Each structure stands twice: as C-alpha cells, then as structure tokens.
C-alpha cells in the first residue's frame, strides 16, 4: 500500500486595516511525500502493464490569498503553485523524475461579490487563470504531447430574492467561451501501435447560460 506524510506551515492574518471592513491574508507552504507510489500502467514488458509501486513521489507547493471587504463589496485574490517528481525504483527507471500526469501547476483566481441590499440582489464574478506547463516527462509514458496550454475562464451569476419567497438565480459559466482542457483532466496525445495517434484531451464545456427559479412556502 501507499503511505504518505504531509508537512506544512501556514500563516493567517485578519483585521480591519487598510480602510477595509475586513482584511485577510494567508500563506501556506507544503511538502508531501508518497512512499511506494502506485501507478496504474507500470510497463513490465512491451505492451504489458501492471498496477505496481514505482517509487516515491515528492509534491511541494505554496498557496496564498488576500481578501478585502469594504461596504457591500467582497474581493478575494488567491494564488497556488505546485510541482511533483518521482524518485523511481530501479525496475522503473524510465519513469524517474516524472511528474504526475494531472499536474495543476500555477493558478491565480479572483472572486468579486457585491450585494445591493435594498434590492435583495447579489452579483458574483470569478476568474481563474491557469498557467501553461512546459513539456516534461510525466507518468503517461505513451503520451506524445506533454505540454499543457494556459487558459483563463470567467463565470458570472446574479441572485435576486423577493420578500414573499420567490428567488431567481441566473448565470453564465465560461463567459468568454474559452476552448480549453483542465490540467486536472486527461491531457495529451497517445500513440497506439495499430490505431496510431489517439487524442486524449478531455475538453471542458464552452459558454453555458442557466437560470433557476425557486419559491419558498
């Protein structure tokens, strides 16, 4: 079985400073070691794969956030970055220094909320920027394309609630219709000896508008 140890150090601060009604700041650094990392496609012979322990995986990264609330406006800016590396055992040296195939990498997110109290109306906007990952060895050994492209997605929603129980929520996901595949999803181009190149990209939905109407008795 896999075993692991996570170590992290965190700092958090909250106060009404810098003219804010509520200001918050936090920072976390973490290091995770997974011993006897289990890989589903460990190749023991040409086109012979087993689920096996392939070595020890090291994952480290940082997470940080800044929140600034004033009046009816709430803002939150966050940042994260992580990387991984496998210390493979002798049997699987071909995988040495490989990263996990669903490495997220560097991300920045911004969230904005504003409430019109006299109108029972609240607005929300969030934007996520995900940086590119350069081509590098990773655990999908059959992949022909290891690079992951950067993308930016934004979402918007509004919620209104009447004094007599009627509620309406409307929103648009992926406002700018970004064409992208999440780094946390399957990525890359595989090679099959018979079918040749197989594209493995799990692309995410494009622009999606939605509305929900509810009533509380």
């Amino acid at each position: 079985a896999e075993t692991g140890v996570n170590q992290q150090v965190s700092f958090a601060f909250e106060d009404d400073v810098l003219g804010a009604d509520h200001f918050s700041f936090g920072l976390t650094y973490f290091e995770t070691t997974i011993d006897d990392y289990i890989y589903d496609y460990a190749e023991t012979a040409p086109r012979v794969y087993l689920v096996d322990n392939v070595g020890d995986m090291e994952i480290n990264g940082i997470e940080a956030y800044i929140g600034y609330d004033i009046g009816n406006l709430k803002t939150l800016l966050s940042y994260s970055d992580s990387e991984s590396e496998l210390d493979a055992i002798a049997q699987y040296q071909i995988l040495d220094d490989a990263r996990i195939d669903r490495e997220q990498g560097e991300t920045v997110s911004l969230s904005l909320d504003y409430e019109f109290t006299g109108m029972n109306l609240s607005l929300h906007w969030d934007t996520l920027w995900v940086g590119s990952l350069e081509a590098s060895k990773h655990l999908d050994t059959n992949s022909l394309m290891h690079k992951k492209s950067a993308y930016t997605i934004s979402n918007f929603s509004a919620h209104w609630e009447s004094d007599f129980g009627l509620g309406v929520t409307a929103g648009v996901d992926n406002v700018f219709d970004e064409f992208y595949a999440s780094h946390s999803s399957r990525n890359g181009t595989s090679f099959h000896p018979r079918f040749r190149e197989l594209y493995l990209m799990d692309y995410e939905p494009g622009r999606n508008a939605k509305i929900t109407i509810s009533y509380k008795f």
Side-chain angles (χ1 to χ4, degrees), residues 198-217:
L198 300 176
Y199 296 93
L200 304 179
M201 305 297 281
D202 282 336
Y203 288 104
E204 300 296 322
R207 184 184 297 114
N208 178 32
K210 53 192 178 182
I211 185 169
T212 301
I213 300 175
S214 62
Y215 186 79
K216 297 179 182 178
F217 292 95

Side-chain angles (χ1 to χ4, degrees), residues 86-140:
L86 178 68
D87 181 12
I89 61 177
Q91 181 181 355
Y92 297 112
Q93 274 300 297
I94 192 174
L95 301 176
D96 195 48
D97 297 330
R99 67 190 182 200
I100 57 177
D101 57 349
R102 305 197 181 194
E103 181 105 308
Q104 183 69 25
E106 188 178 28
T107 66
V108 178
S109 66
L110 174 65
S111 175
L112 303 172
D113 290 275
Y114 192 86
E115 184 174 0
F116 296 89
T117 52
M119 303 171 58
N120 296 331
L121 175 66
S122 59
L123 304 179
H124 171 80
W125 177 279
D126 63 78
T127 294
L128 174 66
W129 174 83
V130 180
S132 62
L133 284 174
E134 295 302 318
S136 177
K137 184 191 297 185
H138 64 74
L139 286 181
D140 186 0

Side-chain angles (χ1 to χ4, degrees), residues 7-14 23-31 60-67 76-82 107:
Q7 302 177 81
Q8 67 180 48
V9 57
S10 300
F11 168 82
F13 173 81
E14 294 185 16
F23 175 84
S24 59
F25 170 76
L27 179 66
T28 298
Y29 174 79
F30 67 90
E31 292 183 351
N60 61 74
I62 61 171
E63 299 172 343
Y65 68 87
I66 296 177
L76 181 65
L77 178 66
S78 61
Y79 172 85
S80 67
D81 189 19
S82 65
T107 66

Side-chain angles (χ1 to χ4, degrees), residues 153-182:
I153 52 174
S154 298
N155 307 303
F156 170 78
S157 64
H159 177 76
W160 173 80
E161 190 163 333
S162 71
D163 296 330
F164 52 87
L166 178 65
V168 179
T169 301
V172 180
D173 293 336
N174 195 357
V175 173
F176 301 109
D177 204 21
E178 180 84 349
F179 180 63
Y180 74 102
S182 170

Side-chain angles (χ1 to χ4, degrees), residues 146-158:
H146 295 179
K147 183 178 179 179
K148 298 183 180 182
S149 300
Y151 59 87
T152 303
I153 52 174
S154 298
N155 307 303
F156 170 78
S157 64

